Amino acid sequence: MSWLKEVFGHDKVVIGMVHFPPLPGAPLYDDRTGLQTALDRVFQDVEALQAGGMDGMMFCNENDRPYQMRADPVTVATMARAIGEIRPTIRIPFGVDILWDPAAAVAVAKATGGQWVREVFTGTYASDMGLWTTQCGEVLRYRKSIDAGSVRLLFNISAEFASPLGTRGLAEIARSVAFSSLPDGLCVSGVMTGVEVGLSDLEQVKQAVPDQVVLANTGTRAETIARTLSVADGAIVGTGLKLEGVTWNAVDPDRVRAYMAEVRRARGA
């Protein structure tokens, strides 16, 4: 039995994204409407995911574009505040993702009761954000130092908005990361947010590390989730649940219900 069953009650799980609007300090933050408007959207999306029957959810500062490798302190503070305020109404497991700062995500998860984080922990990439190098050993030691060992780590091994520097294929990377870096799960992504991950990529990774939790990280929709779950242990979904299928829009309750209906069908099958 994987830890997914322990946390979510299912062997095949789906996690819906709570995408924060631009936060203070980010170029797209709207000074006219202010922070409370952004937080109200977060609360609305949380309730839409829960009412639609999502297994879990994950908070992320998705619209703090252009992305940084080190989170601004105001980002960390604002996300912790928002999750803390809404925590009494949360009825499903949740995690945290702060782009692209694993230590910040672990800290917020520890402070708020998040059960996992998703980040790019390993590898070196040529990315839209510049040369992207990771420090997995430092992050895991930081997790240990703040007594956050219960916060599970989902490793995105095919980073969005980036190409790896190196020639190893996904299967080789998966085997290596599983051996060297102590992940609790591996996420496989499309080239950017909202782009479907190839089924062959998921198959490569799952076959390479059959004992690891493997999640489709981007691009699933109601029409495709059944075939994704036939290979992967679960999926993380954002864009496919939004109004008109647009990443930056609010969560659409009808899309959540339709998506979860297909998930239940796939589990039954």
Side-chain angles (χ1 to χ4, degrees), residues 195-257:
V195 175
E196 186 173 11
V197 58
L199 208 60
S200 62
D201 289 345
L202 288 170
E203 289 170 341
Q204 281 185 60
V205 173
K206 192 60 185 175
Q207 289 169 11
V209 285
D211 295 330
Q212 277 283 337
V213 167
V214 174
L215 303 177
N217 195 45
T218 61
T220 61
R221 304 181 304 281
E223 314 89 80
T224 63
I225 186 58
R227 72 168 181 256
T228 298
L229 293 181
S230 72
V231 176
D233 300 297
I236 297 169
V237 55
T239 300
L241 303 179
K242 300 299 187 70
L243 290 165
E244 301 178 348
V246 175
T247 302
W248 317 115
N249 286 351
V251 171
D252 182 343
D254 291 337
R255 283 180 177 248
V256 179
R257 285 190 287 269

Side-chain angles (χ1 to χ4, degrees), residues 14 48-56 92 256-257 260 264 267:
V14 288
L49 293 173
Q50 293 189 130
M54 193 63 52
D55 296 325
I92 58 177
V256 179
R257 285 190 287 269
M260 291 309 299
R264 287 190 292 272
R267 285 174 180 154

Side-chain angles (χ1 to χ4, degrees), residues 3-4 53 87 114 256:
W3 61 268
L4 297 179
R87 186 71 178 84
V256 179

Side-chain angles (χ1 to χ4, degrees), residues 130-179:
L131 185 63
W132 185 352
T133 59
T134 59
Q135 300 293 334
C136 185
E138 290 184 9
V139 177
L140 268 71
R141 283 164 175 79
Y142 175 68
R143 181 180 67 159
K144 180 76 169 178
S145 74
I146 64 170
D147 190 29
S150 63
V151 176
R152 291 182 169 92
L153 308 179
L154 301 181
F155 284 46
N156 186 355
I157 60 169
S158 51
E160 300 135 86
F161 312 105
S163 298
L165 298 182
T167 58
R168 295 184 300 169
L170 263 179
E172 188 176 355
I173 291 170
R175 283 191 292 267
S176 181
V177 168
F179 180 88

